[in-house]
Amino acid sequence: MARIDPPALDDLSSEQKALRDLIMKQRSTGEARGPFGVLLHAPDLGSRVADFVNYLLSDTRLSHRLKELAIITVARRYTAQYEWWIHARRAERHGLEEEIIEAIFEGSKPTFADKEGDVVHEVASALASDGQMGDELYQKAEGLFGKAGMVELVTIIGLYMMIAVFLNAFQVDVPDPNAKLLKEI
């Protein structure tokens, strides 16, 4: 059960209404749910987070497939149910193979046909586990993605680590009662 529910629609301040409108415009669900439902309680912060997420999930240097791979790797590490529920489906829509998603779900190391996927998973796993990345891995990743691509990748991983902690702290519910939930590993 969520620790903080979104405010009732009839009780929204003008700032909360503006944030809700922004979120509904940016999100494919047309709703302010998940972390954004909680962020309605702090609309000044919520609007900044919503814009940042929206930017990083738009067309940037990294493919959507690789971004979603990084996000579900973080979600798995933090057992962030809502983050997993949203982004595992997005990962599949963006071409991430079902067997890779399933391996990550189970807490296993997936086998990648592409070097980029393998390196993104390694980087996200390393940073989400202990906040560190060895020199060899960094050099391999920078060789694939360049300096700007690395900045983007690390930013996505860091942002979604923050969102995972946020979701877990507020025990944000997955709205699908039939959702396959992560187990603690």
Side-chain angles (χ1 to χ4, degrees):
M1 178 169 206
R3 289 184 169 147
I4 297 179
D5 290 321
L9 292 178
D10 294 341
D11 297 336
L12 294 178
S13 68
S14 60
E15 293 85 6
Q16 289 171 317
K17 285 178 186 171
L19 175 56
R20 183 176 179 276
D21 291 346
L22 172 69
I23 292 166
M24 290 175 56
K25 186 174 112 186
Q26 292 175 340
R27 307 271 83 75
S28 60
T29 62
E31 298 178 56
R33 63 181 187 191
F36 300 105
V38 176
L39 284 164
L40 284 172
H41 291 281
D44 51 339
L45 175 62
S47 63
R48 288 166 174 85
V49 172
D51 283 341
F52 197 37
V53 167
N54 194 55
Y55 170 74
L56 286 175
L57 293 183
S58 68
D59 292 326
T60 58
R61 289 170 188 84
L62 297 176
S63 71
H64 291 288
R65 177 183 176 272
L66 293 176
K67 287 188 266 195
E68 294 300 335
L69 170 60
I71 294 166
I72 66 170
T73 301
V74 168
R76 169 66 278 181
R77 166 61 181 85
Y78 284 87
T79 316
Q81 303 292 356
Y82 189 92
E83 189 168 79
W84 177 270
W85 178 73
I86 288 289
H87 290 280
R89 295 179 308 157
R90 286 179 52 102
E92 190 170 15
R93 280 196 313 270
H94 287 292
L96 192 62
E97 299 83 351
E98 190 175 323
E99 57 273 8
I100 291 173
I101 296 169
E102 187 61 28
I104 295 169
F105 179 86
E106 295 296 332
S108 304
K109 175 148 178 33
T111 303
F112 293 89
D114 64 306
K115 186 184 261 189
E116 291 84 4
D118 189 50
V119 170
V120 165
H121 184 263
E122 277 188 72
V123 170
S125 294
L127 292 175
S129 293
D130 64 11
Q132 301 292 320
M133 174 181 12
D135 290 340
E136 186 178 320
L137 177 56
Y138 180 85
Q139 290 166 359
K140 185 170 33 171
E142 186 185 282
L144 284 173
F145 305 117
K147 288 177 177 44
M150 280 303 292
V151 170
E152 186 175 302
L153 176 59
V154 171
T155 300
I156 288 166
I157 293 165
L159 173 64
Y160 278 90
M161 287 168 62
M162 178 201 78
I163 291 173
V165 169
F166 183 91
L167 291 164
N168 288 344
F170 293 108
Q171 298 178 348
V172 175
D173 295 324
V174 172
D176 179 359
N178 300 314
K180 186 174 156 184
L181 299 178
L182 297 165
K183 293 180 176 72
E184 292 286 335
I185 53 173

Coordinates of all heavy atoms in Angstrom, one line a residue, residues 6 8 14 16 25 33 45-46 61 66 83 88 97 109 117 127 133 137 140 143 167 170-171 183:
P6 N -1.7 10.1 -4.6 CA -1.8 11.4 -5.2 C -3.0 12.2 -4.6 O -3.9 11.6 -4.1 CB -2.2 11.0 -6.7 CG -1.8 9.6 -6.8 CD -1.9 9.0 -5.5
A8 N -6.3 14.3 -4.2 CA -7.6 14.2 -4.9 C -7.7 15.3 -6.0 O -7.2 16.5 -5.7 CB -8.8 14.3 -3.9
S14 N -3.5 25.4 -8.0 CA -3.2 25.7 -9.4 C -1.8 25.2 -9.8 O -1.7 24.7 -11.0 CB -3.3 27.2 -9.6 OG -2.3 27.9 -8.7
Q16 N -0.4 22.4 -8.7 CA -0.6 21.0 -8.8 C -1.3 20.7 -10.1 O -1.0 19.7 -10.8 CB -1.3 20.4 -7.6 CG -0.4 20.4 -6.4 CD -1.2 20.0 -5.1 OE1 -2.4 20.5 -5.0 NE2 -0.7 19.2 -4.3
K25 N 0.5 15.4 -20.5 CA 0.9 15.6 -21.8 C 2.2 14.8 -22.1 O 2.3 14.3 -23.3 CB 1.2 17.1 -21.9 CG 1.6 17.6 -23.4 CD 1.7 19.1 -23.4 CE 3.1 19.4 -23.7 NZ 3.5 20.8 -23.6
R33 N 0.6 9.2 -12.4 CA 0.7 8.0 -11.5 C 2.1 7.7 -11.3 O 3.0 8.3 -11.8 CB -0.1 6.8 -12.1 CG 0.4 6.3 -13.4 CD -0.4 5.1 -13.8 NE 0.2 4.5 -15.0 CZ -0.3 3.7 -15.8 NH1 -1.6 3.3 -15.5 NH2 0.3 3.1 -16.8
L45 N 9.2 20.8 -7.4 CA 10.2 19.7 -7.7 C 9.6 18.8 -8.8 O 10.4 18.4 -9.7 CB 10.4 18.9 -6.4 CG 11.3 17.7 -6.5 CD1 12.7 18.1 -7.0 CD2 11.3 16.9 -5.2
G46 N 8.4 18.5 -8.7 CA 7.8 17.6 -9.7 C 7.9 18.0 -11.1 O 8.2 17.2 -12.0
R61 N 21.3 10.6 -27.6 CA 22.4 9.8 -28.2 C 22.2 8.3 -28.1 O 22.5 7.6 -29.1 CB 23.7 10.2 -27.5 CG 24.2 11.5 -27.8 CD 25.3 11.9 -26.9 NE 25.7 13.3 -27.1 CZ 25.0 14.3 -26.5 NH1 24.0 14.1 -25.6 NH2 25.4 15.6 -26.7
L66 N 18.6 0.7 -25.5 CA 19.7 0.8 -24.5 C 19.3 1.5 -23.2 O 19.7 1.1 -22.1 CB 21.0 1.3 -25.1 CG 21.6 0.5 -26.2 CD1 22.8 1.2 -26.8 CD2 22.0 -0.9 -25.7
E83 N 8.9 0.8 -11.2 CA 9.9 1.1 -12.3 C 10.0 -0.1 -13.2 O 10.1 0.1 -14.4 CB 11.2 1.5 -11.6 CG 12.3 2.0 -12.6 CD 13.4 2.6 -11.8 OE1 14.3 1.8 -11.3 OE2 13.5 3.8 -11.6
A88 N 10.0 -2.5 -18.1 CA 10.2 -3.8 -18.8 C 9.2 -3.8 -20.0 O 9.7 -4.3 -21.1 CB 9.9 -4.9 -17.8
E97 N 15.1 -8.0 -26.3 CA 14.6 -9.4 -26.4 C 14.0 -9.9 -25.1 O 14.5 -9.6 -24.0 CB 15.8 -10.3 -26.8 CG 16.4 -9.9 -28.1 CD 17.4 -8.8 -28.1 OE1 17.6 -8.1 -27.1 OE2 18.1 -8.6 -29.1
K109 N 22.6 -12.9 -15.3 CA 23.3 -12.1 -16.3 C 22.8 -12.6 -17.6 O 22.9 -13.8 -18.0 CB 24.8 -12.3 -16.2 CG 25.5 -11.6 -17.3 CD 26.8 -11.1 -17.0 CE 27.6 -10.4 -18.1 NZ 26.9 -9.6 -19.1
G117 N 24.6 -3.7 -25.8 CA 23.7 -4.1 -24.7 C 24.5 -4.7 -23.6 O 24.2 -4.4 -22.4
L127 N 27.3 0.3 -11.4 CA 26.9 1.6 -10.7 C 25.7 1.4 -9.7 O 25.8 2.0 -8.6 CB 26.6 2.7 -11.7 CG 27.7 3.2 -12.6 CD1 27.3 4.2 -13.6 CD2 28.8 3.8 -11.7
M133 N 32.6 2.1 -11.1 CA 32.9 1.4 -12.4 C 34.4 1.4 -12.6 O 35.0 2.4 -12.5 CB 32.2 2.2 -13.5 CG 32.4 1.7 -14.9 SD 31.7 2.7 -16.2 CE 31.1 4.2 -15.5
L137 N 36.1 -1.2 -17.6 CA 34.8 -1.1 -18.1 C 34.5 0.3 -18.6 O 33.9 0.5 -19.7 CB 33.8 -1.4 -16.9 CG 32.3 -1.3 -17.3 CD1 31.9 -2.1 -18.5 CD2 31.5 -1.7 -16.0
K140 N 36.0 0.6 -22.1 CA 35.2 -0.1 -23.0 C 33.9 0.6 -23.4 O 33.6 0.8 -24.6 CB 34.9 -1.5 -22.5 CG 34.2 -2.4 -23.4 CD 34.1 -3.9 -22.9 CE 33.9 -4.2 -21.5 NZ 33.6 -5.6 -21.2
G143 N 34.6 3.8 -25.4 CA 35.0 3.5 -26.7 C 33.7 3.2 -27.6 O 33.7 3.5 -28.8
L167 N 10.5 5.5 -5.4 CA 9.4 4.6 -5.5 C 9.3 3.7 -4.3 O 8.2 3.4 -3.7 CB 9.4 3.8 -6.8 CG 9.2 4.6 -8.0 CD1 9.7 3.8 -9.3 CD2 7.7 5.0 -8.2
F170 N 8.3 5.5 -0.9 CA 6.9 5.8 -0.8 C 6.0 4.6 -1.1 O 4.8 4.7 -1.2 CB 6.5 7.0 -1.7 CG 7.2 8.3 -1.3 CD1 8.2 8.8 -1.9 CD2 6.7 8.9 -0.1 CE1 8.8 10.0 -1.5 CE2 7.3 10.1 0.4 CZ 8.4 10.6 -0.4
Q171 N 6.6 3.4 -1.3 CA 5.9 2.2 -1.6 C 4.8 2.4 -2.7 O 3.7 2.0 -2.5 CB 5.3 1.6 -0.3 CG 6.4 1.2 0.7 CD 5.8 0.7 2.0 OE1 4.6 0.8 2.3 NE2 6.7 0.2 2.8
K183 N 11.1 -10.4 -7.2 CA 11.4 -11.0 -5.9 C 12.7 -10.4 -5.4 O 13.6 -10.1 -6.2 CB 11.5 -12.5 -6.0 CG 10.2 -13.2 -6.3 CD 10.4 -14.7 -6.4 CE 9.1 -15.4 -6.7 NZ 8.6 -15.3 -7.9

